[in-house]
Amino acid sequence: MSHSSKAPSPVGSVDQHAPLHLGHSRLRSEVVNSVYSQSSYSNSADSTAASSVEDIRIHRSLPTGVYVPTVCFFEETTEDLDLNAIARHAVRLAEAGVAGITTQGSNGEAVHLTHQERKIVTSVTRRALNEAGFASMPIIVGCGAQSTRETIELCKDAAISGGDFALVLPPSYYKPSLKSNSVIEFFEDVATASPIPILIYNYPGAVSGTDLDSDAIIKLAGHPNIVGCKLTCGNTGKLNRIAAATQAATPADHGSGFMCMGGSADFTLQMLVGGGSGVICGLANVVPKACVEIFNVYQTGDLAKTQKLQGIVARGDWAAIAGGIVGTKSALQTYFGYGGLARKPLPRPTIEDTKRYAGGFEEVVALEKSL
């Protein structure tokens, strides 16, 4: 299977109404684009931050490596977006050597943001990276929603805000009513109408247990605007099968260019051994250098050292998983002086919580500060 034609076009040059070849009827593509071509959410009078992103778009690809689903920062008293913290954090991650940034993911509290706030976060991140000398770094934008229509709208918002790729969850709210092919058609329709390429986000815990199997993802990988997947299901066998079938990109071989990615830092080594392309991991918000180090050392051939690093990172990742976004932000605040609080109704950590979170991250932060 070849994905050599899957490189994204600059956003400004995309014809959002041009049908894509799906391997089934051209008519379906034309219908999808006709139905979803009109915007119902964009408000030009309320798009200052998004429209201020430079009109000149750089052609960005997805290199193999570590990607960070960035946390979103808020002012403590008002819960307004803390734009300075959002920008500084993105630059800190880029300087640590990550391959790319993901906004509007689970760690980014996308479900707590309005459409306009989502656009602002992405545009601020893009501008901060550009101004710091990282204009070539790609941004993946979480665009999951329950309806096909809103998901496409979010993909369009991501494109105009400076995003290069969209990360899309399957719909789940009406799961009992969905037919066997509904999710496949959902991804095909979104990919056909999206102005930017998409990655399939398989995260059963966030979507009522919906767990796409390898057959479904391999089938969807044949769509020319689906360029990768993120497997937060943690199923390494599934990753192996998808990577092999798609000839996924690896650090040693670009292959088809399809990105078969793990969804957490605790199986970075397993992903690499299994032929994967990288990880999109929340732990890298706190310790980006440590996460990147596993990737780099593995490529030197020092398996023993890689295993040791993976053990430290896996223990730190368990602290991140157990503490969730509240614990991740608390650790950032404790060890790096910023982080703040999550939006309500997520709880404020107590003194005891803060100590517990700090203890869970202590070992991996020590590794981070040694690099």
Side-chain angles (χ1 to χ4, degrees), residues 3 6 62 67 140 165-168 187 197-203 212-214 216-218 220-221 225-233 235 238-244 246 248 257-263 267 271 276-280:
H3 289 78
K6 289 190 171 186
L62 289 174
Y67 289 72
I140 303 170
F165 301 85
L167 183 64
V168 179
F187 279 107
I198 74 169
L199 293 88
I200 298 164
Y201 189 4
N202 193 53
Y203 183 12
L212 297 176
D213 61 28
S214 54
I217 295 175
I218 291 166
L220 287 168
N225 209 33
I226 295 178
V227 298
C229 60
K230 177 187 178 183
L231 303 178
T232 305
C233 55
N235 187 327
K238 183 186 297 184
L239 183 146
N240 297 156
R241 291 188 292 274
I242 296 168
T246 61
F258 189 84
M259 297 291 287
C260 189
M261 307 182 77
F267 73 112
M271 174 277 302
S277 311
V279 290
I280 304 177

Side-chain angles (χ1 to χ4, degrees), residues 62-150:
L62 289 174
T64 57
V66 173
Y67 289 72
V68 191
T70 54
V71 298
C72 189
F73 301 96
F74 306 104
E75 300 288 352
E76 184 172 351
T77 56
T78 65
E79 291 195 348
D80 290 341
L81 295 175
D82 186 340
L83 303 184
N84 288 331
I86 290 168
R88 291 197 310 270
H89 184 62
V91 173
R92 176 195 166 217
L93 300 177
E95 291 176 342
V98 303
I101 299 293
T102 301
T103 60
Q104 319 311 325
S106 304
N107 281 274
E109 295 184 63
V111 296
H112 288 167
L113 304 180
T114 66
H115 277 245
Q116 183 61 17
E117 286 176 323
R118 290 167 77 130
K119 289 190 286 186
I120 290 171
V121 169
T122 299
S123 65
V124 167
T125 300
R126 178 75 272 159
R127 184 179 301 106
L129 293 174
N130 290 355
E131 292 178 352
F134 298 99
S136 63
M137 179 168 287
I139 295 179
I140 303 170
V141 183
C143 293
Q146 292 304 310
S147 72
T148 303
R149 184 183 186 89
E150 185 180 10

Side-chain angles (χ1 to χ4, degrees), residues 264-284:
S264 60
D266 61 2
F267 73 112
T268 304
L269 175 56
Q270 299 92 314
M271 174 277 302
L272 288 165
V273 172
S277 311
V279 290
I280 304 177
C281 55
L283 179 65

Side-chain angles (χ1 to χ4, degrees), residues 287-356:
V287 288
K289 293 179 182 178
C291 294
V292 170
E293 186 73 356
I294 297 176
F295 207 89
N296 292 342
V297 173
Y298 176 79
Q299 293 178 75
T300 70
D302 190 341
L303 184 58
K305 184 176 181 180
T306 309
Q307 289 174 329
K308 181 178 180 180
L309 289 168
Q310 180 65 86
I312 296 171
V313 167
R315 289 188 288 274
D317 203 28
W318 180 240
I321 293 167
I325 185 58
V326 174
T328 296
K329 284 190 166 186
S330 177
L332 272 172
Q333 190 69 53
T334 298
Y335 287 110
F336 298 98
Y338 72 102
L341 302 171
R343 268 188 175 169
K344 293 180 178 179
L346 287 177
R348 274 51 182 151
T350 64
I351 294 175
E352 291 75 19
D353 291 336
T354 300
K355 290 179 180 178
R356 185 175 70 258

Side-chain angles (χ1 to χ4, degrees), residues 162-211:
D164 303 293
F165 301 85
L167 183 64
V168 179
L169 284 162
S172 61
Y173 190 85
Y174 294 112
K175 182 180 177 180
S177 299
L178 296 175
K179 295 182 179 180
S180 58
N181 203 45
S182 296
V183 173
I184 297 293
E185 291 184 353
F186 166 81
F187 279 107
E188 289 177 340
D189 288 348
V190 170
T192 298
S194 173
I196 53 178
I198 74 169
L199 293 88
I200 298 164
Y201 189 4
N202 193 53
Y203 183 12
V207 288
S208 303
T210 299
D211 189 2

